[in-house]
Amino acid sequence: MENIVITIARQYGSGGRTVGEMLADRLGIHYYDKELMKLASDESGINEALFVNADEKIKSTKLFRIAKSAYNGELIPPESDDFTSTDNLFNYQAKIIRKLAEEESCVIIGRCADYVLKEYNNVLSVFVHAPMEFCIEQAAKKHSMSPRELERFILKTDKHRAEYYKYHTGREWTDARNYDLCLNSSKLGFDRCVEEIIAYMDVRFR
């Protein structure tokens, strides 16, 4: 198999992004996170700020609590009033994700990539999680908040991610059945998480 793509979904503070960066570095492949928004902007001609603003705006709205049919790959044409809608901004990010999966080996963080690429045989989907105590400890390295404030922040962030995922996929974000591999980073540590992903790759794509 020429290209192998690893998608990583993660609870806030679990270190999933760190694991993804370490994995990409170890394998010598590209790592995609927020860069996907720039690529989607280049592809669509839609200002990158709209992608960024949409990400921020939805955190403070009830939009993603509304039931919606799952992403199906269809793009809204430029002549439509909905061309720059939240749905179409996601559609273009998904288009880039699918294009990357067809062209190169890479690590993709978040963006419902596991669902967008669910029909691809060259994709390994991973969910990184950890107990709240561990997530608070990790989050404290980036944010000057009390443990109680950090817990509220983590719960709010994960709630948003779960709603975002449910809105675009129709699935539950934390359901292990959505992923090939679920890793508890508090028990394994980041280095061992990377080792476990590589070991799984060796078996899966041998």
Side-chain angles (χ1 to χ4, degrees):
M1 187 168 294
E2 295 183 359
N3 303 329
I4 297 177
V5 177
I6 304 94
T7 69
I8 298 181
R10 75 284 182 221
Q11 290 181 313
Y12 191 89
S14 67
R17 177 180 279 111
T18 300
V19 169
E21 291 174 333
M22 292 171 61
L23 178 65
D25 184 64
R26 173 78 175 272
L27 297 175
I29 60 178
H30 207 119
Y31 165 91
Y32 292 98
D33 187 0
K34 293 183 179 180
E35 184 181 353
L36 289 170
M37 288 187 280
K38 181 182 186 307
L39 295 174
S41 172
D42 293 342
E43 175 72 23
S44 64
I46 299 173
N47 193 305
E48 184 181 351
L50 291 179
F51 288 91
V52 176
N53 292 339
D55 259 21
E56 295 303 317
K57 181 180 179 181
I58 57 181
K59 293 179 182 178
S60 59
T61 71
K62 297 181 179 180
L63 173 63
F64 291 110
R65 299 176 190 173
I66 303 171
K68 170 187 174 290
S69 58
Y71 161 78
N72 61 11
E74 295 182 5
L75 294 170
I76 300 172
E79 60 269 19
S80 170
D81 292 338
D82 293 327
F83 181 60
T84 58
S85 65
T86 300
D87 287 348
N88 210 37
L89 294 177
F90 178 84
N91 291 345
Y92 269 102
Q93 290 181 78
K95 180 181 180 182
I96 292 299
I97 289 170
R98 293 166 73 94
K99 183 178 180 182
L100 290 172
E102 293 165 3
E103 295 180 349
E104 64 175 275
S105 294
C106 60
V107 175
I108 300 176
I109 302 295
R111 308 289 163 185
C112 306
D114 60 283
Y115 183 84
V116 172
L117 300 176
K118 67 183 186 299
E119 298 173 358
Y120 285 62
N121 293 324
N122 64 328
V123 175
L124 167 59
S125 58
V126 180
F127 185 79
V128 180
H129 61 96
M132 179 57 72
E133 294 76 12
F134 181 85
C135 293
I136 289 174
E137 179 183 331
Q138 295 301 310
K141 297 176 181 179
K142 295 183 178 181
H143 304 283
S144 299
M145 302 180 188
S146 69
R148 181 171 295 182
E149 289 173 330
L150 285 170
E151 181 174 2
R152 286 198 294 264
F153 177 77
I154 290 168
L155 290 172
K156 182 178 180 180
T157 301
D158 283 349
K159 184 173 183 291
H160 161 67
R161 289 178 178 176
E163 290 174 347
Y164 181 93
Y165 190 87
K166 181 66 175 289
Y167 180 83
H168 287 300
T169 72
R171 297 180 176 184
E172 298 299 325
W173 179 55
T174 55
D175 189 337
R177 292 172 295 184
N178 298 331
Y179 309 98
D180 297 308
L181 190 62
C182 294
L183 300 173
N184 185 333
S185 57
S186 71
K187 293 183 177 180
L188 294 174
F190 300 153
D191 286 313
R192 186 62 184 275
C193 282
V194 171
E195 293 293 340
E196 291 298 323
I197 295 172
I198 292 175
Y200 191 103
M201 290 172 62
D202 287 342
V203 173
R204 169 84 178 275
F205 302 113
R206 181 177 300 165

